[in-house]
Amino acid sequence: MVRSFLEIARRIERKEAVVMTAQEICDLVEGGERAKLEDVDVVTTATRAVMSGTYALFSFPVAKPHSFVRARNVWLNGVPAYVGPCPNENLGILDLMVFGIARSRRYPGYGGGHLFRDLVEGKEVHVEVEADDCRTLSRDVTLTEMPHARLFGSRHAFKNYAAFVNPGADPVSTIFHVSGFSPRLSGATFSGCGQINPLKSDPLLEAVGIGTRILLNGAEGFVIGAGTRSCPEKPNLSGFADMHHMTPEYMGGFLTSAGPECICSWAVPIPVISKTILDHIARLDREIPLPVMDVITRQPMGEASYGDVWDGADLNVEFYPDRCIGCAGCRVEEVCPLGAVSFDGDKARWDARRCFHCGICVSECAGNAFRCNMGSVRLGSCSIPVVLRQSDRLRAIRLAKDLKNRILDGTFRISDPVERIAP
Ligand code: SF4
Ligand code: SF4
């Protein structure tokens, strides 16, 4: 019934392999077609979400050799960078590490995640250097002028996550809400792509290991190992990929009420090598627990399921421009975490390419110009509507399809892990 990794790789080479997305599998299971699942060789899974544990490593020339000895401080579009690990400044080269959650000192609401997407979009970024002799220098650079630009996830692709509510009497500023959590259980936020998530299909890390080839923000990369705080109950992964090959729509900044956050996307091929994997792939949203946490204490208050927030929910938000009543101050422009809505003094405009389908505009828009059914979570007798999603399942599904097509047309080779990760 199940196959070895080598057997699957050979079937792919001979164009005999059956490759399906996790969503296609779940649709089959929902329709009662369990038997066909036994014939699948590879399942492509994906997630797109706010992932705080993100950093980039850049190396690029900034001045002529011997212009200065050491850099004391460096900023890219005002976002602070850590200089090093290799002290190459005497050669006129900067080696820098930039965190995805770092805040720009120049532009409010701009952080590392925004910077990474701007670079991948081909935009010039402004580099300021403060040398240790107190001189300052600056230049504009693009990604193509950076020989080395890699994005790393130190805590990525977690096996789904949690929902948050605020049971207190006061609003709370937190990374789990974009405009501040309203009090008294008035709304819930959550993260996690549910049944299509990579580690939902392989929670014991039987098929995914060190050296597994993945797509990170659309670029080929590799799993390095377990991510920080990974444990058997809540595994997550670390990995990296070259930013030169990334796709902007899969990444970016996400502005919360506690500062900038970073969006990343993973697509992971899961070779079906064991019965356990097969069983996990077949689990649907409603069978996957979604703990409901108090956002203040971070303690669980109850448990919902991913079925509550994804079954029957709209994956995309829709904008009806005719409904916009042209408020004196557009609340949606103010709270949209992606900057996807702009108000020109008369009507709001929506940039569908930037939209993350988080849904906060649905509850914040005075004219009901945004529509999306986002489900709810239940705590005892209380049904709490979802007001914000920190995962974009629409694009995760698209990324899983992209990976499937690349495997089938031979442009993406699945790789056997060089070593297992302890779950
Ligand atoms: S809040 Fe809604 S109705 Fe008011 S200007 Fe913004 S989009 Fe238009
Ligand atoms: S769903 Fe609404 S608030 Fe969220 S990114 Fe899209 S336009 Fe902005």
Side-chain angles (χ1 to χ4, degrees), residues 383-418:
S383 176
I384 306 167
V386 172
V387 294
L388 173 75
R389 309 188 285 212
Q390 290 190 306
S391 292
D392 174 5
R393 185 145 138 180
L394 188 74
R395 284 200 187 75
I397 288 173
R398 194 177 299 164
L399 191 56
K401 270 188 206 158
D402 180 16
L403 178 57
K404 170 186 165 175
N405 292 336
R406 291 195 206 189
I407 294 171
L408 288 173
D409 70 17
T411 54
F412 182 102
R413 276 185 309 111
I414 64 165
S415 59
D416 199 2
V418 291

Side-chain angles (χ1 to χ4, degrees), residues 189-253:
T189 71
F190 79 92
S191 188
C193 282
Q195 63 192 16
I196 66 166
N197 176 286
L199 293 184
K200 167 263 178 181
S201 295
D202 186 18
L204 302 178
L205 296 164
E206 292 176 81
V208 177
I210 296 170
T212 292
R213 187 179 277 112
I214 55 162
L215 291 180
L216 172 53
N217 297 338
E220 282 193 25
F222 293 93
V223 172
I224 300 170
T228 60
R229 290 164 50 207
S230 183
C231 61
E233 301 75 38
K234 293 182 183 174
N236 74 78
L237 297 170
S238 61
F240 76 95
D242 190 332
M243 290 178 71
H244 294 94
H245 306 298
M246 289 187 177
T247 307
E249 76 166 288
Y250 291 130
M251 57 194 298

Side-chain angles (χ1 to χ4, degrees), residues 55-59 70 81-89 94-98 148 152:
Y55 63 95
L57 202 56
F58 300 114
S59 179
R70 295 301 307 270
Y82 293 90
V83 185
C86 199
N88 286 324
E89 297 101 288
L94 290 175
D95 270 22
L96 303 174
M97 187 184 287
V98 179
H148 189 104
F152 290 80

Side-chain angles (χ1 to χ4, degrees), residues 315-381:
L315 298 185
N316 59 315
V317 166
E318 289 184 338
F319 176 53
Y320 297 89
D322 293 348
R323 288 176 173 267
C324 175
I325 53 176
C327 311
C330 176
R331 178 72 179 145
V332 179
E333 182 184 42
E334 203 181 302
V335 300
C336 175
L338 272 288
V341 174
S342 55
F343 187 68
D344 64 7
D346 179 28
K347 290 273 177 190
R349 289 180 201 289
W350 177 57
D351 182 346
R353 273 184 334 113
R354 286 212 161 260
C355 180
F356 185 79
H357 305 288
C358 73
I360 192 68
C361 46
V362 175
S363 53
E364 296 279 354
C365 175
N368 291 322
F370 293 84
R371 291 286 175 88
C372 182
N373 167 22
M374 299 202 290
S376 59
V377 296
R378 186 161 279 285
L379 269 185
S381 58

Side-chain angles (χ1 to χ4, degrees), residues 92-374:
I93 294 169
L94 290 175
D95 270 22
L96 303 174
M97 187 184 287
V98 179
F99 290 175
I101 60 162
R103 295 169 191 232
S104 172
R105 63 174 185 163
R106 279 186 178 274
Y107 309 112
Y110 186 94
H114 300 87
L115 172 74
F116 302 157
R117 178 162 174 161
D118 280 351
L119 279 166
V120 170
E121 282 181 342
K123 292 181 183 161
E124 272 190 343
V125 306
H126 188 61
V127 183
E128 299 165 273
V129 181
E130 193 181 275
D132 58 357
D133 59 7
C134 292
R135 281 180 305 144
T136 57
L137 58 116
S138 63
R139 65 163 290 201
D140 293 335
V141 295
T142 62
L143 187 60
T144 52
E145 294 167 289
M146 295 181 169
H148 189 104
R150 283 184 173 179
L151 195 84
F152 290 80
S154 60
R155 176 172 152 74
H156 271 199
F158 11 85
K159 185 180 135 231
N160 289 311
Y161 206 67
F164 288 92
V165 294
N166 176 14
D170 300 308
V172 175
S173 289
T174 163
I175 61 166
F176 300 113
H177 205 295
V178 298
S179 58
F181 237 119
S182 299
R184 298 184 189 86
L185 302 175
S186 54
T189 71
F190 79 92
S191 188
C193 282
Q195 63 192 16
I196 66 166
N197 176 286
L199 293 184
K200 167 263 178 181
S201 295
D202 186 18
L204 302 178
L205 296 164
E206 292 176 81
V208 177
I210 296 170
T212 292
R213 187 179 277 112
I214 55 162
L215 291 180
L216 172 53
N217 297 338
E220 282 193 25
F222 293 93
V223 172
I224 300 170
T228 60
R229 290 164 50 207
S230 183
C231 61
E233 301 75 38
K234 293 182 183 174
N236 74 78
L237 297 170
S238 61
F240 76 95
D242 190 332
M243 290 178 71
H244 294 94
H245 306 298
M246 289 187 177
T247 307
E249 76 166 288
Y250 291 130
M251 57 194 298
F254 186 99
L255 193 59
T256 73
S257 51
E261 278 287 330
C262 187
I263 297 167
C264 283
S265 309
W266 279 56
V268 181
I270 312 284
V272 184
I273 56 170
S274 81
K275 171 82 168 57
T276 326
I277 290 177
L278 205 55
D279 291 343
H280 280 103
I281 288 169
R283 293 180 74 209
L284 302 176
D285 282 324
R286 57 180 172 271
E287 299 168 88
I288 306 169
L290 176 65
V292 182
M293 316 279 279
D294 177 336
V295 74
I296 305 164
T297 63
R298 303 271 183 107
Q299 293 300 311
M301 295 181 67
E303 191 163 284
S305 78
Y306 276 93
D308 295 319
V309 295
W310 286 126
D311 277 355
D314 299 324
L315 298 185
N316 59 315
V317 166
E318 289 184 338
F319 176 53
Y320 297 89
D322 293 348
R323 288 176 173 267
C324 175
I325 53 176
C327 311
C330 176
R331 178 72 179 145
V332 179
E333 182 184 42
E334 203 181 302
V335 300
C336 175
L338 272 288
V341 174
S342 55
F343 187 68
D344 64 7
D346 179 28
K347 290 273 177 190
R349 289 180 201 289
W350 177 57
D351 182 346
R353 273 184 334 113
R354 286 212 161 260
C355 180
F356 185 79
H357 305 288
C358 73
I360 192 68
C361 46
V362 175
S363 53
E364 296 279 354
C365 175
N368 291 322
F370 293 84
R371 291 286 175 88
C372 182
N373 167 22
M374 299 202 290

